[in-house]
Amino acid sequence: MKTVHVDLAERSYDILIGQGLIADAAKHLAPHLHRPKVAIVTDDNVARLHAPQLQSALTQAGIAHDTLVLPAGEATKSWGPLTQTVEWLLDQKIERRDLVIALGGGVIGDLVGFAASILRRGVRFVQIPTSLLAQVDSSVGGKTGINTQHGKNLVGAFHQPVLVLADIDALGTLSNRDFLAGYGEVVKYGLLGNAAFFEWLEQFGPKLAAGDIDARTEAVRMSCQMKADIVARDETEQGDRALLNLGHTFCHALEKDTGYSDRLLHGEGVAIGCALAFELSARMGLCSQECPSRVREHLRAMGMKLDLSDISGPLSNAVDLVGLMAQDKKVIDGQLRFILARDIGDAFVTSDVSSDQVISVMQDALDRGANTVS
Ligand code: GLY
């Protein structure tokens, strides 16, 4: 088992990464319990796959528990399920010093973390992420929240968990598509700040996708370590944390255009967005053309989506797609902020990008084969 420490003064916590962590959850939770009682919130897919193991571990250890099962899917990250979760936690008489457990992927982690942040003005919670995306990104760093009709993640809070248990065995139940979508966030870390990690992924990525436990553990550890270092420097995204949004400005426009449907999963959009961000960087003369080519080569070798033509169905035209970026949370004073790169592993934040250049990158990407509607 590996441990990554997130150093945030009194809000510091450990991320444990390894096999069998759900089965051993009681042992890891025990030091954080003030009384032997927890509340678990999960979704109906994860409830089937992983909740019984967690529940029986808790029962055996004499820890009382109740479980709320919400519908799986992005629609659960909204006001209705938030109210339901908060009221249910109050019904369970969860007190401020009790633990709420978020068992699931990014949707459950974000929703439950936010519910914990507002319940009794802040209840402690534990993340048990079961998807690769949640293990390497959303369960770490304390961003919690829900979507509204105005957009994704527009209502939320920074609320750090007290512990993260990233059980590598849970990744074994993911579909290949979900696994590779999570891998989009893993690649992002190499691209934004660690060329050696990207090289390691070029070498071990296929092994990791094929199920190699050691490679999976190492990829999750490295990703969490990089995220922990950035979050420790900039918890509330005043500066460096924005680097974690590499690929996300393009991704959000594509997700919006595809209606947040399963035409494009978030991590798939991140991977395509990283390729486009490197393309834009090369066009602007910030990095060599070799960089975007190498990014695309790796995504291709992994069997991932890398082009707009890999997204099924029609997309809007380039001008409209770039228009969709304007609603991004990263807009400051009406200026879009992009994460661009000087090299693989050397990203930076800038607003100094002309929309014409972004439109031309988008147009060329569309010309590579997607069906557009005018
Ligand atoms: N997912 C980006 C962040 O946590 O800042």
Side-chain angles (χ1 to χ4, degrees):
M1 188 185 74
K2 312 271 187 204
T3 302
V4 170
H5 185 67
V6 186
D7 193 2
L8 288 169
E10 71 285 357
R11 294 180 309 290
S12 297
Y13 55 96
D14 284 338
I15 305 164
L16 308 187
I17 303 154
Q19 291 190 272
L21 288 171
I22 294 179
D24 277 347
K27 182 174 90 191
H28 300 297
L29 293 173
H32 300 276
L33 292 174
H34 289 281
R35 59 172 176 158
K37 175 182 168 76
V38 297
I40 304 166
V41 183
T42 189
D43 71 32
D44 45 18
N45 283 339
V46 177
R48 204 166 23 85
L49 295 168
H50 305 296
Q53 203 180 22
L54 176 61
Q55 290 158 333
S56 80
L58 295 172
T59 303
Q60 274 175 32
I63 300 170
H65 54 87
D66 278 293
T67 305
L68 172 65
V69 180
L70 296 167
E74 190 72 27
T76 288
K77 239 178 89 168
S78 56
W79 290 110
L82 175 69
T83 311
Q84 185 188 350
T85 303
V86 170
E87 294 290 354
W88 180 80
L89 290 169
L90 290 170
D91 287 342
Q92 303 309 309
K93 303 196 168 32
I94 290 298
E95 297 172 4
R96 203 184 248 177
R97 299 199 317 168
D98 288 336
L99 282 184
V100 177
I101 297 177
L103 174 69
V107 167
I108 286 294
D110 285 5
L111 172 88
V112 178
F114 187 36
S117 81
I118 55 176
L119 183 72
R120 302 186 193 281
R121 298 201 177 89
V123 168
R124 299 173 323 134
F125 84 114
V126 172
Q127 292 269 19
I128 306 188
T130 53
S131 69
L132 181 57
L133 185 134
Q135 292 193 354
V136 298
D137 185 40
S138 58
S139 71
V140 177
K143 276 190 183 174
T144 71
I146 57 167
N147 308 325
T148 84
Q149 58 181 8
H150 292 277
K152 289 225 321 177
N153 299 320
L154 290 178
V155 174
F158 286 99
H159 187 55
Q160 302 292 343
V162 296
L163 177 71
V164 180
L165 299 178
D167 189 336
I168 297 298
D169 290 333
L171 304 180
T173 59
L174 295 176
S175 68
N176 189 47
R177 186 177 180 198
D178 281 328
F179 185 87
L180 288 180
Y183 186 78
E185 297 277 5
V186 175
V187 175
K188 177 194 81 176
Y189 289 106
L191 295 176
L192 75 88
N194 192 330
F197 183 45
F198 183 73
E199 262 169 52
W200 185 89
L201 291 171
E202 287 178 314
Q203 196 179 345
F204 293 103
K207 207 169 160 185
L208 189 160
D212 186 279
I213 294 290
D214 290 342
R216 287 183 171 195
T217 306
E218 181 55 13
V220 174
R221 185 194 70 79
M222 268 305 296
S223 303
C224 288
Q225 186 64 62
M226 288 189 66
K227 181 151 188 183
D229 290 345
I230 292 175
V231 168
R233 291 203 297 273
D234 177 21
E235 184 181 6
T236 57
E237 201 168 314
Q238 307 302 310
D240 268 10
R241 185 165 179 163
L243 292 173
L244 296 172
N245 294 322
L246 176 63
H248 283 62
T249 307
F250 286 102
C251 169
H252 288 154
L254 296 171
E255 280 186 297
K256 228 172 189 192
D257 201 49
T258 49
Y260 301 101
S261 66
D262 74 354
R263 284 176 62 198
L264 183 71
L265 304 180
H266 176 71
E268 294 172 336
V270 170
I272 295 174
C274 285
L276 292 174
F278 270 83
E279 190 62 50
L280 179 59
S281 303
R283 297 260 182 116
M284 292 172 67
L286 296 164
C287 68
S288 71
Q289 184 53 46
E290 208 182 297
C291 294
S293 305
R294 202 169 146 200
V295 175
R296 289 172 59 80
E297 195 41 55
H298 181 54
L299 299 181
R300 189 176 294 114
M302 293 298 291
M304 295 169 72
K305 288 187 171 52
L306 66 140
D307 268 319
L308 299 191
S309 54
D310 296 329
I311 302 170
S312 65
L315 292 171
S316 294
N317 63 50
V319 173
D320 289 349
L321 282 172
V322 174
L324 291 175
M325 293 176 172
Q327 283 220 15
D328 201 280
K329 280 197 303 310
K330 293 180 292 302
V331 173
I332 294 182
D333 295 334
Q335 282 258 295
L336 258 181
R337 276 190 307 162
F338 278 88
I339 319 303
L340 298 179
R342 296 182 196 92
D343 201 347
I344 284 179
D346 185 8
F348 64 100
V349 187
T350 179
S351 298
D352 197 10
V353 180
S354 88
S355 55
D356 286 350
Q357 265 169 321
V358 186
I359 290 169
S360 115
V361 165
M362 205 61 116
Q363 186 59 58
D364 291 352
L366 288 167
D367 290 346
R368 282 198 288 268
N371 307 318
T372 53
V373 287
S374 50

